[in-house]
Amino acid sequence: MTARTKPHILVSNDDGIEGPGLHALVASMKKIGAVTVVAPAEPQSGKSHAMTLGEPLRIREYQKNNRFFGYTVSGTPVDCIKVALSHILDEKPDLIVSGINYGSNTAMNSLYSGTVAAAREGAIQQVPSLAFSLTTYENADFTYAAKFARQLVRETLRRGLPPDTILSANIPNVPESEIRGVLFTRQGRSRWEESAIERHDMYGNPYYWLGGSLQLHDSDLSEDEYAVRHNYVAVTPIACDMTDHRFRSELETWGLQNTIKK
Amino acid sequence: MTARTKPHILVSNDDGIEGPGLHALVASMKKIGAVTVVAPAEPQSGKSHAMTLGEPLRIREYQKNNRFFGYTVSGTPVDCIKVALSHILDEKPDLIVSGINYGSNTAMNSLYSGTVAAAREGAIQQVPSLAFSLTTYENADFTYAAKFARQLVRETLRRGLPPDTILSANIPNVPESEIRGVLFTRQGRSRWEESAIERHDMYGNPYYWLGGSLQLHDSDLSEDEYAVRHNYVAVTPIACDMTDHRFRSELETWGLQNTIKK
């Protein structure tokens, strides 16, 4: 490949510039194209599609082993994509990848995920974008996930994506030999069972930590959370359009439009 | 109505406890049911579905005219709903309403919106939920929006909503006599044209403010942004399921599943 035909890939994440999953993804993407890294300066888990409106953002260069590695942005994953496209890159990248996230972004997790949101911001800005997540918080081994990311990115570069749709891949944290295959799934309905913890400070005033655990409400392999629990890679296409089109037709029967003036 | 049959309505927003739109919505909802207010202590525009993971949350009582008005939470709109359901309310409310937001939550704005996210968190927690937004930032008149909210809430209490789907209503900032009707719309494709502003601090270091303006990419009355610009109330059903189901079928042809092991 000549320099001209080499794709330019923007890499971001939500675990921040020091996230091991980011470094695994960058190393993997460098085998495919030219890579620019723009990642949050601090961990940004659970930030969803939040953008920073009330305060300014800083961009800083980040070194790894005394060499330039990428840029940090003092904001959210979505801020990173916005600032990368408006101020860091001279032209739009060919592709944006986000991850590899610590922890699954299946089911309702997709709504809270900064990793998924960074990719979705890429789609809004009309760049084909993908998110990658490893379904564990501990003993993470990004080896196979990084390899799979390369396969899916190569295929995406070849085939393209529909406008306003991303791919969100969740990869089980097992050796490649235990992976049972790749499934194109839907966002499942598994959701968190809340258990905010109440504590008291030294003045006796209460404070709360949000917490909980993901409860399985998915029951077949078409659903992402169920698929990854059975050692399949689950790739869910996520749209920017959140309209419930089926229910929209039903709403026509609610009779609220009677007042329409010509 | 007796106290037993009066619906219990939880009201939140993303502009914060002092937002005039919240107070207009609370006054309107009090004509229908018993109201509990749990709103962010500070403005939270653009926070999307972000939740607070890295720090504790505080709940405080908030007075208006020397009388208890509601609770503030030191976090995001989604935090408010989570904390309200886990620690403030004794039982699930019959309905959650979020707003009335300053500024439209049509098209891609729906992704950034904390107002929409608060309602969506309600849906995740299996409470019928609605979001209301007034399509202006200046000279806001919440009179008609608050009245329409009451109509739509009454209808929703009567008919219910599908699980995991909310209604997001955008109301033009015009007198009721100029409203042309109510349309059940889809989330449009209008998106922000970015124009992050670069400035320099006293040390000569650059910083950036995110900004821009919503560019119209919608072209008919089935799309929310187009509808509100033509003085229709636009009600978009928003699903928690973001799967692009159409593209999912096409992905089956990508041939990545060849590796599936039985």
Side-chain angles (χ1 to χ4, degrees):
Chain A
M1 264 187 184
T2 68
R4 273 184 67 90
T5 58
K6 214 173 173 183
H8 180 198
I9 300 171
L10 173 63
V11 185
S12 193
N13 76 342
D14 82 352
D15 291 322
I17 193 83
E18 296 183 353
L22 176 79
H23 292 259
L25 187 57
V26 166
S28 182
M29 291 300 113
K30 281 186 172 168
K31 295 182 182 173
I32 297 179
V35 169
T36 303
V37 180
V38 181
E42 304 288 338
Q44 298 285 312
S45 290
K47 288 291 171 70
S48 186
H49 212 102
M51 61 182 284
T52 301
L53 290 171
E55 45 192 291
L57 297 169
R58 297 280 188 172
I59 302 170
R60 291 203 169 83
E61 297 194 358
Y62 179 88
Q63 309 259 330
K64 182 183 177 182
N65 302 329
N66 295 318
R67 291 180 57 185
F68 172 73
F69 174 75
Y71 301 90
T72 65
V73 172
S74 60
T76 67
V78 164
D79 291 337
C80 289
I81 303 303
K82 285 181 179 290
V83 168
L85 296 186
S86 65
H87 278 88
I88 297 176
L89 304 179
D90 290 331
E91 51 186 36
K92 271 189 186 170
D94 297 298
L95 196 97
I96 296 174
V97 292
S98 175
I100 300 168
N101 191 60
Y102 260 129
S104 79
N105 282 315
T106 53
M108 295 300 174
N109 281 340
S110 305
L111 291 166
Y112 304 99
S113 167
T115 304
V116 170
R120 190 168 46 191
E121 182 62 27
I124 294 175
Q125 308 240 10
Q126 300 173 285
V127 180
S129 300
L130 302 93
F132 295 95
S133 307
L134 188 74
T135 64
T136 188
Y137 296 100
E138 42 195 31
N139 302 319
D141 180 350
F142 293 101
T143 314
Y144 172 67
K147 180 179 167 184
F148 175 74
R150 209 155 62 237
Q151 288 173 353
L152 192 60
V153 161
R154 280 210 174 98
E155 209 60 25
T156 302
L157 284 166
R158 204 153 66 88
R159 298 175 181 260
L161 293 176
D164 301 338
T165 291
I166 65 160
L167 295 180
S168 173
N170 282 277
I171 299 119
N173 187 41
V174 297
E176 183 173 357
S177 60
E178 290 175 35
I179 295 286
R180 295 174 71 187
V182 179
L183 293 174
F184 294 108
T185 44
R186 55 170 292 164
Q187 181 190 320
R189 294 191 58 193
S190 296
R191 58 179 180 269
W192 284 72
E193 198 68 40
E194 307 296 328
S195 62
I197 294 164
E198 180 173 346
R199 298 223 166 117
H200 288 80
D201 65 20
M202 66 185 100
Y203 307 104
N205 297 318
Y207 60 90
Y208 304 85
W209 288 100
L210 292 181
S213 61
L214 192 71
Q215 300 298 309
L216 187 68
H217 291 274
D218 300 330
S219 51
D220 74 63
L221 288 172
S222 68
E223 292 160 308
D224 50 13
E225 178 63 19
Y226 192 84
V228 296
R229 290 195 187 196
H230 289 79
N231 281 359
Y232 291 92
V233 174
V235 180
T236 300
I238 298 276
C240 295
D241 177 14
M242 304 182 292
T243 312
D244 182 339
H245 291 281
R246 192 182 312 177
F247 185 51
R248 194 184 146 217
S249 316
E250 192 184 322
L251 281 165
E252 306 286 345
T253 67
W254 278 30
L256 279 167
Q257 307 102 311
N258 292 346
T259 52
I260 288 178
K261 295 170 195 167
K262 302 295 171 195
Chain B
M1 263 186 185
T2 68
R4 274 183 67 90
T5 58
K6 216 173 172 183
H8 180 198
I9 301 172
L10 172 63
V11 185
S12 193
N13 76 340
D14 82 352
D15 291 322
I17 193 83
E18 295 183 353
L22 176 79
H23 292 260
L25 187 56
V26 167
S28 183
M29 291 302 113
K30 282 187 172 169
K31 295 182 183 174
I32 298 178
V35 169
T36 303
V37 180
V38 181
E42 304 288 338
Q44 298 285 313
S45 290
K47 287 293 170 70
S48 186
H49 212 101
M51 61 182 284
T52 301
L53 290 170
E55 45 191 290
L57 297 169
R58 297 280 188 172
I59 302 170
R60 290 203 170 84
E61 297 195 358
Y62 179 88
Q63 309 260 328
K64 181 183 178 183
N65 302 328
N66 295 318
R67 290 180 57 185
F68 173 73
F69 175 75
Y71 301 90
T72 65
V73 173
S74 60
T76 67
V78 164
D79 291 337
C80 289
I81 304 302
K82 285 182 179 292
V83 169
L85 295 187
S86 66
H87 278 88
I88 297 176
L89 303 179
D90 291 329
E91 51 186 37
K92 274 192 184 167
D94 297 298
L95 196 96
I96 297 175
V97 292
S98 175
I100 302 168
N101 190 60
Y102 259 129
S104 78
N105 282 315
T106 53
M108 295 299 174
N109 281 339
S110 305
L111 291 165
Y112 304 100
S113 168
T115 304
V116 170
R120 191 169 44 192
E121 181 63 27
I124 294 174
Q125 308 238 11
Q126 301 174 285
V127 180
S129 300
L130 303 93
F132 294 95
S133 307
L134 189 73
T135 64
T136 189
Y137 295 100
E138 42 195 32
N139 302 319
D141 179 350
F142 293 102
T143 314
Y144 172 65
K147 180 180 167 183
F148 174 75
R150 210 155 61 235
Q151 287 173 355
L152 192 60
V153 162
R154 279 210 174 99
E155 208 60 26
T156 302
L157 284 167
R158 205 153 65 88
R159 296 175 181 260
L161 293 176
D164 300 339
T165 292
I166 64 160
L167 295 180
S168 173
N170 281 276
I171 299 119
N173 186 41
V174 297
E176 183 173 357
S177 59
E178 290 174 34
I179 295 286
R180 295 173 72 188
V182 179
L183 294 174
F184 293 108
T185 46
R186 53 171 291 164
Q187 182 190 319
R189 295 193 55 193
S190 297
R191 57 180 180 268
W192 285 73
E193 197 68 43
E194 305 297 327
S195 63
I197 294 163
E198 180 173 347
R199 297 222 168 119
H200 289 80
D201 65 20
M202 67 186 100
Y203 308 104
N205 297 319
Y207 61 90
Y208 304 87
W209 288 99
L210 292 181
S213 61
L214 192 70
Q215 300 297 308
L216 187 68
H217 292 274
D218 300 329
S219 52
D220 73 62
L221 288 173
S222 68
E223 292 160 309
D224 50 12
E225 179 62 19
Y226 192 85
V228 295
R229 290 196 188 196
H230 289 78
N231 281 358
Y232 290 92
V233 174
V235 179
T236 300
I238 297 276
C240 294
D241 177 15
M242 304 182 293
T243 311
D244 182 340
H245 291 280
R246 194 181 312 176
F247 184 50
R248 192 184 148 217
S249 317
E250 193 184 319
L251 281 165
E252 305 286 343
T253 68
W254 278 30
L256 279 166
Q257 308 99 310
N258 293 346
T259 51
I260 288 178
K261 296 169 198 167
K262 304 293 171 198

